[in-house]
């Protein structure tokens, strides 16, 4: 786009797979990630079969899980992995030294760091990109490429680490969480337990995050029996489960690997032919009509999702292969392994509201955000939750554009739904028409909202917004303001209490279902 050729991509991680990277044409960091996840899948089966609680002690399982996880970090990130290792140790010291009434701050600090590390690791490796993403003018002149790289690589690590530390500290003390970010049940974990929980090879690279107690139950061999007891306690019906043998995750793993294969095929054939950055190509923006730009944006965003589907589904399969993630028996008496699943693809693709889309995307992080922020904030819960989510994701400006834009869109979507939905419930045809209309509106709104998240840079985001005439911002703000006074705030204590009490019995078996807001309208 009129700029000097980019320097070859480099990573602080292992260079062993560079020939594979060059042969396939994929960045080395992605090749390293995929290699680690495939190795983790194999290791997970061995972990379940040969290092089961029946054969080895929990200490051995903790040690192996942590050792493999740390090895993955070093392989993928090299010496940059020292940051997360240092944070783990520092937070463990806080936990064992701090008063129990304040220890939640340290645990929350680490929880924030875990998510932030995943998103900032690539930006720290690609040091020459970090500063570039804050430039406002696409054509702005700069120093010679080799000189620019030397300068930015020299300072980008300092900037990234400084920002990382400042954000983490501010997030803990500004939001002032009043609950535990993870449940240690009043007992401080040992160092190996804490290390294993945070850095285990099953989830260290791409998640999903999970409850500490669930993880300890898994390591100590109580995971499945505990889930079944919880399910039996909340339901009187028989589920047909044979208590003498733990259900095998093999079918679930195979099913999820088939989904991964489909996502990879889609990525190689479709996604790569619809590059996101073409949305801000100067020739395309200046020559294509608004409808053409809108159509391309829609399909390019749709095509970008499978890479996220692939990563999260593969991570889920890895956990299941190790015997972790058992949810319970379904209504047909078959085992369900979706306890820590991070997405619902069908729910995402068929979402007819902004909220439904969010509820089915990055599910485990959504549960955490709802627990530590939305449910705790006395007011402005929606705005604070989105702001926290932006801070959690990392340093790229595009993240902040995405989550700040989502605030007025969500408010407007709620208001519009409350105002017009009841008019379409009179007949099946009207309801179907409403669902189709709201599906299209939701997908277009998601497209507009998510685009900065993928473009990352300020300059690209502004170019895209201008090409779209800021229409979603304008429409959502006008709708939110116009419809705000038509509806009184939700009542009640009785409604909220009954809602909580009615949902309590199924909480044990439905932990993977969440909501980032409590308004179900």
């Amino acid at each position: 786009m009129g700029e000097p050729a980019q320097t070859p991509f480099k990573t602080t991680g292992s260079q062993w797979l560079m020939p594979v990277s060059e042969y396939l044409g994929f960045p080395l960091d992605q090749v390293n990630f995929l290699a680690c996840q495939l190795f983790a899948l194999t290791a997970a089966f061995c972990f379940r079969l040969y290092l089961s609680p029946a054969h080895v002690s929990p200490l051995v399982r903790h040690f192996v899980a942590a050792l493999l996880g740390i090895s993955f970090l070093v392989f993928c990130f090299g010496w940059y992995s020292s940051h997360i290792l240092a944070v783990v140790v520092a937070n463990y010291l806080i936990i064992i030294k701090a008063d129990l009434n304040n220890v939640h701050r340290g645990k929350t600090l680490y929880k924030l760091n875990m998510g932030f590390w995943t998103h900032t690791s690539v930006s720290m490796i690609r040091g020459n990109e970090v500063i570039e993403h804050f430039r406002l003018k696409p054509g702005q002149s700069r120093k010679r490429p080799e000189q620019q790289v030397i300068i930015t690589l020299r300072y980008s690590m300092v900037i990234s680490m400084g920002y990382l530390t400042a954000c983490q500290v501010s997030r803990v003390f500004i939001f002032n969480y009043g609950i535990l970010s993870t449940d240690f049940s009043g007992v401080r974990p040992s160092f190996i337990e804490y290390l294993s929980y945070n850095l285990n090879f099953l989830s260290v690279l791409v998640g999903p995050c999970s409850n500490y107690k669930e993880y300890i139950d898994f390591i100590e061999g109580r995971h499945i029996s505990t889930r079944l007891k919880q399910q039996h306690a909340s339901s009187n019906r028989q589920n047909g489960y044979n208590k003498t043998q733990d259900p095998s995750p093999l079918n679930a793993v195979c099913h999820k690997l088939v989904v991964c294969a489909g996502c990879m095929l889609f990525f190689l054939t479709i996604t790569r032919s619809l590059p996101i950055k073409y949305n801000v190509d100067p020739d395309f923006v200046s020559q294509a009509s608004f409808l053409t730009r809108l159509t391309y944006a829609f399909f390019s965003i749709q095509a970008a999702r499978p890479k996220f589907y692939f990563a999260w589904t593969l991570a889920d399969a890895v956990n299941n292969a190790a015997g972790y993630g058992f949810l319970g028996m379904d209504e047909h008496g078959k085992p369900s392994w979706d306890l820590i699943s991070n997405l619902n693809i069908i729910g995402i693709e068929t979402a007819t509201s902004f909220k439904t889309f969010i509820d089915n995307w990055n599910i485990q992080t959504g549960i955490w955000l709802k627990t530590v922020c939305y449910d705790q904030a006395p007011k402005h819960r929606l705005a604070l939750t989105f702001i926290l989510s932006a801070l959690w994701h990392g340093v790229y400006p595009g993240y902040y554009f995405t989550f700040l834009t989502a605030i007025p869109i969500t408010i407007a979507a709620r208001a519009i739904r409350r105002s017009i939905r009841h008019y379409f419930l009179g007949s099946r045809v009207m309801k179907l028409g409403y669902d189709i209309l709201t599906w299209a509106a939701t997908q277009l709104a998601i497209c507009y909202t998510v685009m900065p998240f993928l473009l990352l840079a300020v300059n690209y985001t502004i170019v895209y917004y201008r090409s779209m005439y800021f229409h979603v911002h304008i429409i959502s703000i006008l709708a939110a303001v116009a419809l705000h006074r038509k509806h009184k705030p939700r009542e009640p204590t009785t409604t909220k209490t009954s809602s909580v009490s009615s949902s309590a019995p199924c909480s044990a078996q439905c932990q993977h279902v969440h909501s980032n807001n409590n308004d179900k309208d």
Side-chain angles (χ1 to χ4, degrees):
M1 302 177 74
E3 294 194 9
Q6 296 291 321
T7 55
F9 174 78
K10 295 186 182 299
T11 175
T12 55
S14 172
Q15 305 285 326
W16 291 353
L17 298 179
M18 181 63 79
V20 178
S21 172
E22 294 173 347
Y23 178 78
L24 296 177
F26 286 103
L28 181 57
D29 63 332
Q30 295 180 15
V31 174
N32 285 346
F33 163 78
L34 183 57
C36 284
Q37 286 298 87
L38 293 178
F39 182 85
L41 181 64
T42 304
F45 279 111
C46 297
F47 192 78
R48 180 172 64 88
L49 296 174
Y50 302 112
L51 294 177
S52 68
H55 295 108
V56 299
S57 68
L59 180 62
V60 173
R61 283 167 62 84
H62 279 304
F63 179 79
V64 172
L67 181 63
L68 286 175
I70 293 171
S71 299
F72 288 173
L73 285 177
V74 174
F75 183 83
C76 288
F77 306 117
W79 69 275
Y80 276 133
S81 59
S82 60
H83 172 261
I84 193 171
L85 298 176
V87 170
V88 171
V89 174
N91 279 277
Y92 182 72
L93 292 176
I94 292 174
I95 288 175
I96 63 173
K97 298 294 184 183
D99 181 79
L100 281 175
N101 294 325
N102 295 315
V103 75
H104 68 276
R105 297 184 186 275
K107 288 183 282 187
T108 301
L109 183 63
Y110 181 76
K111 206 74 171 179
L112 288 163
N113 178 75
M114 278 299 292
F116 199 53
W117 166 260
T118 303
H119 294 279
T120 55
S121 55
V122 174
S123 67
M124 289 191 291
I125 290 170
R126 293 180 172 177
N128 60 314
E129 290 185 6
V130 177
I131 296 176
E132 289 294 313
H133 280 298
F134 288 87
R135 296 191 308 115
L136 294 177
K137 298 179 180 179
Q140 183 179 354
S141 62
R142 60 180 183 180
K143 295 181 168 77
R144 290 180 292 114
E146 62 274 18
Q147 185 180 2
Q148 180 73 17
V149 170
I150 291 172
I151 293 174
T152 54
L153 283 175
R154 183 175 300 167
Y155 295 108
S156 61
M157 182 63 178
V158 176
I159 293 173
S160 296
M161 290 301 186
Y163 182 87
L164 179 69
T165 304
C167 276
Q168 289 170 162
V169 173
S170 65
R171 281 176 287 189
V172 173
F173 288 93
I174 290 175
F175 283 88
N176 191 25
Y177 305 129
I179 61 166
L180 300 181
S181 63
T182 188
D183 179 21
F184 291 144
S185 302
V187 179
R188 290 184 173 93
S190 68
F191 181 66
I192 189 63
E193 288 173 337
Y194 190 72
L195 205 64
S196 172
Y197 171 62
N198 289 308
L199 300 179
N200 68 82
F201 74 98
L202 303 174
S203 58
V204 69
L205 292 181
V206 70
C209 65
S210 60
N211 180 274
Y212 174 78
K213 186 177 183 302
E214 292 281 1
Y215 180 77
I216 294 300
D217 285 346
F218 156 67
I219 289 293
E220 297 180 356
R222 301 187 303 269
H223 173 55
I224 293 176
S225 61
T226 301
R227 296 299 305 176
L228 287 171
K229 287 178 182 178
Q230 291 174 347
Q231 186 176 22
H232 283 296
S234 63
S235 174
N236 294 323
R237 63 181 175 80
Q238 296 296 319
N239 58 22
Y241 173 64
N242 182 1
K243 295 183 181 179
T244 61
Q245 185 178 5
D246 285 348
S248 170
L250 186 59
N251 288 338
V253 172
C254 290
H255 175 265
K256 290 170 183 178
L257 291 180
V258 169
V259 173
C260 288
C263 292
M264 177 61 77
L265 181 62
F266 188 96
F267 174 79
L268 294 175
T269 56
I270 306 297
T271 303
R272 300 184 82 184
S273 65
L274 294 170
I276 288 294
K277 285 194 175 178
Y278 190 65
N279 285 283
V280 293
D281 179 80
D283 294 332
F284 177 69
V285 171
S286 61
Q287 297 175 14
S289 66
F290 173 75
L291 286 178
T292 301
R293 297 195 301 270
L294 186 64
T295 301
Y296 183 83
F298 174 81
F299 284 108
S300 62
I301 287 292
Q302 297 290 112
R305 289 178 196 161
K307 65 182 180 182
F308 295 98
Y309 296 165
F310 173 85
W312 281 332
T313 304
L314 180 57
D316 197 14
V318 169
N319 280 272
N320 293 166
Y324 188 34
F326 180 71
L327 177 63
M329 309 303 289
D330 64 19
E331 58 186 4
H332 303 294
K334 296 181 179 180
S336 172
W337 289 85
D338 295 330
L339 175 66
I340 56 175
S341 293
N342 225 7
L343 79 168
N344 178 353
I345 296 177
I346 295 177
I348 290 169
E349 297 298 339
T350 60
T352 57
S353 71
F354 203 79
K355 175 187 175 299
T356 302
F357 185 99
I358 294 173
D359 284 350
N360 289 285
W361 179 272
N362 205 355
I363 293 173
Q364 301 304 321
T365 300
I367 293 173
W368 176 76
L369 287 168
K370 182 177 185 294
T371 303
V372 303
C373 186
Y374 190 87
D375 289 346
Q376 303 301 313
K379 55 183 179 179
H380 308 305
R381 298 185 297 172
L382 180 69
L384 287 174
T385 302
F386 276 121
I387 291 170
L388 175 60
S389 184
L391 291 170
W392 179 87
H393 275 80
V395 296
Y396 285 120
Y399 300 154
Y400 297 85
F401 280 105
T402 288
F403 290 105
L404 292 177
T405 298
I407 296 172
I409 292 178
T410 304
I411 294 172
R414 287 180 181 177
I416 293 172
R417 182 179 174 86
R418 291 173 182 172
S419 299
I420 69 172
R421 184 173 182 268
H422 56 278
Y423 293 116
F424 294 88
L425 301 180
S427 69
R428 294 180 61 184
V429 175
M430 292 284 284
K431 179 63 166 60
L432 178 62
Y434 174 81
D435 287 342
I436 294 173
L437 181 64
T438 52
W439 174 84
T442 297
Q443 298 301 326
L444 288 172
I446 289 293
C447 165
Y448 184 90
T449 305
V450 170
M451 187 66 74
F453 191 96
L454 299 176
L455 292 173
L456 299 177
V458 172
N459 55 314
Y460 291 146
T461 298
I462 298 302
V463 168
Y464 174 73
Y465 280 160
R466 285 176 176 171
S467 74
M468 294 288 109
Y469 307 117
F470 295 88
H471 72 281
V472 176
H473 280 98
I474 295 171
I475 293 172
S476 60
I477 292 173
L478 290 178
V481 172
L483 299 175
H484 175 68
R485 296 185 179 276
K486 283 192 173 184
H487 302 279
K488 293 181 180 179
R490 276 200 174 256
E491 291 294 299
T493 322
T494 48
T495 304
K496 192 167 183 180
T497 305
S498 62
S499 173
V500 171
S501 61
S502 64
S503 63
C506 69
S507 61
Q509 55 185 314
C510 304
Q511 182 176 336
H512 66 301
V513 178
H514 81 286
S515 169
N516 284 339
N517 67 72
N518 293 334
D519 294 320
K520 294 289 183 183
D521 295 312

